[in-house]
Amino acid sequence: MQIGVNVPNFGPGTDPATLRRWAQIVEGLGFDLLLVSDHVVITPDVAEQYPAPFYEPFTTLAWLSGITSRVRLGTTVLIVPYRHPLLIARMAANLHQLSGGRLVLGVASGWARQEFEALDVPFERRGRLTDEYLHAVRAAWENEGDYGPGPIPIWVGGNSDAGMRRAVRHGAAWHPLRVTLAWLREALDRLKAIADEEGAAVPALMPRIVLRMTDEPVTGPERRAGEGTIEQIVDDLDQLRAMGVDTVVLDPFDTDPDDTLRPETAWRALAAVAARTTTLTGRQQP
């Protein structure tokens, strides 16, 4: 099982120097992926959770690809209806080539109604547009020799049945976000049922979980995977591996944008996880 990190590319504490340090720490600790988020217009509904500055993901990852050499780079998640599909195809293909084949394209249909309005994209059609655009992206990669990207992994985000069905229909991995282990186990049964209905293979599972390390155990049915003591976090990762998870992404950002002013807290948690999981994941201790 591989482990990635969702790096905050937004918020009051984020700037180029901090992003550079994030990349150095994620790669230096031996993690397998570095992923960033996507918003284009910081409308009030976006700013409440993910305030400016917000660094555009393709631009940011292209820059980080020159700072790093090994760690894979990706989006969790790119909002597909925000960009013309041929632009997505071109930018993703070029980034994949320039980074030495390291791109993972995580995608979703989006949620910020005001941002859709600002971009003049119909909010009510976001699911249909996502499906249409994903088909167009794949067709561009397959039919245009000058794209030449090679196989770019696609992860479909979203915790709903619609997200699961989209992953199944597009032959992509499923990328649920910030869930409990109990929820995920139940969702896997639904995912298998949807795959059976569609006559397709069950998608690979690539969840993004929180990373919130505490001194005292976190208990109760609402405890999310990745939340609690380092022992609880390591046990969650072990359970995910036993569930057949191929890759898990740790998300050290919870809900407070001011946490981006104190990245050292997240860096300490990542160091603790790295020190405890080299045997679990097969990574070498840096």
Side-chain angles (χ1 to χ4, degrees), residues 24-63:
Q24 292 169 337
I25 287 172
V26 169
E27 184 165 69
L29 288 173
F31 288 101
D32 302 290
L33 297 91
L34 183 161
L35 301 102
V36 296
S37 304
D38 179 33
H39 283 287
V40 175
V41 186
I42 311 306
T43 47
D45 51 353
V46 174
E48 185 175 349
Q49 300 182 56
Y50 310 109
F54 202 113
Y55 290 82
E56 195 278 331
F58 280 124
T59 309
T60 303
L61 292 173
W63 178 61

Side-chain angles (χ1 to χ4, degrees), residues 87-170:
L87 179 62
I88 295 174
R90 173 68 67 190
M91 295 177 76
N94 288 170
L95 178 53
H96 195 58
Q97 290 171 314
L98 292 169
S99 66
R102 290 189 280 153
L103 181 64
V104 172
L105 190 65
V107 299
S109 58
W111 58 269
R113 182 181 290 271
Q114 293 173 345
E115 189 175 17
F116 274 85
E117 293 171 355
L119 293 167
D120 197 26
V121 178
F123 182 79
E124 292 76 12
R125 293 192 63 225
R126 65 193 187 281
R128 183 175 299 178
L129 287 172
T130 298
D131 288 326
E132 292 174 0
Y133 285 14
L134 286 177
H135 283 301
V137 167
R138 281 257 176 81
W141 289 344
E142 293 170 0
N143 298 328
E144 294 290 337
D146 61 335
Y147 281 72
I152 299 177
I154 294 179
W155 299 358
V156 172
N159 296 358
S160 66
D161 283 7
M164 297 183 204
R165 195 172 298 277
R166 180 168 294 120
V168 169
R169 288 179 173 176
H170 288 277

Side-chain angles (χ1 to χ4, degrees), residues 76-240:
T76 175
V77 283
L78 189 83
I79 309 304
V80 173
Y82 287 173
R83 298 167 180 83
H84 192 285
L86 294 182
L87 179 62
I88 295 174
R90 173 68 67 190
M91 295 177 76
N94 288 170
L95 178 53
H96 195 58
Q97 290 171 314
L98 292 169
S99 66
R102 290 189 280 153
L103 181 64
V104 172
L105 190 65
V107 299
S109 58
W111 58 269
R113 182 181 290 271
Q114 293 173 345
E115 189 175 17
F116 274 85
E117 293 171 355
L119 293 167
D120 197 26
V121 178
F123 182 79
E124 292 76 12
R125 293 192 63 225
R126 65 193 187 281
R128 183 175 299 178
L129 287 172
T130 298
D131 288 326
E132 292 174 0
Y133 285 14
L134 286 177
H135 283 301
V137 167
R138 281 257 176 81
W141 289 344
E142 293 170 0
N143 298 328
E144 294 290 337
D146 61 335
Y147 281 72
I152 299 177
I154 294 179
W155 299 358
V156 172
N159 296 358
S160 66
D161 283 7
M164 297 183 204
R165 195 172 298 277
R166 180 168 294 120
V168 169
R169 288 179 173 176
H170 288 277
W174 181 45
H175 184 48
L177 311 176
R178 306 169 70 84
V179 298
T180 67
L181 288 178
W183 184 94
L184 188 58
R185 288 192 178 93
E186 293 179 0
L188 280 177
D189 291 337
R190 297 204 306 275
L191 183 67
K192 292 172 183 175
I194 290 170
D196 287 343
E197 291 172 12
E198 298 287 339
V202 178
L205 180 59
M206 316 288 200
R208 187 177 98 200
I209 67 172
V210 301
L211 175 61
R212 192 176 76 85
M213 193 170 68
T214 60
D215 293 329
E216 299 296 327
V218 177
T219 59
E222 300 304 314
R223 185 185 78 84
R224 299 167 295 178
E227 191 171 35
T229 63
I230 185 61
E231 290 77 17
Q232 287 181 296
I233 294 168
V234 171
D235 183 65
D236 288 343
L237 293 172
D238 195 27
Q239 292 190 56
L240 288 169

